[in-house]
Amino acid sequence: TDPLDDGYGSTLTRQDGRFNFVVNGGGVQTLEFSRNGYFSAQRQITSKFNESQSINDIVMIRPDVKFTRITSE
């Protein structure tokens, strides 16, 4: 999804890990990747008119079940 413009909608990743996301070219879009149980990730791309492009792989990680709670006094 583009969290700054919900007019673009969303897409699902194909079985090979790739996806298609069509936008109006000629600007900067922020893409947000999310999956239940994982931290989300955002990447910005600068789209061009009448062109397709790829982005680097995104590795999503789960929160660590072992953590230390820090409180302020």
Side-chain angles (χ1 to χ4, degrees):
T1 64
D2 182 343
L4 303 177
D5 189 344
D6 61 359
Y8 287 120
S10 62
T11 188
L12 298 175
T13 305
R14 295 190 304 261
Q15 198 168 19
D16 64 1
R18 296 178 177 264
F19 64 92
N20 295 326
F21 194 73
V22 179
V23 298
N24 291 325
V28 175
Q29 279 81 35
T30 302
L31 303 180
E32 182 172 283
F33 303 86
S34 61
R35 182 176 179 181
N36 288 338
Y38 290 81
F39 288 113
S40 63
Q42 292 186 347
R43 298 293 183 271
Q44 282 194 329
I45 61 164
T46 301
S47 60
K48 298 175 183 167
F49 292 103
N50 297 320
E51 289 188 16
S52 62
Q53 67 185 87
S54 299
I55 60 172
N56 292 334
D57 290 345
I58 294 173
V59 178
M60 300 181 74
I61 59 173
R62 293 179 183 263
D64 195 338
V65 294
K66 297 180 182 179
F67 64 92
T68 302
R69 185 172 306 275
I70 300 173
T71 59
S72 61
E73 296 182 58

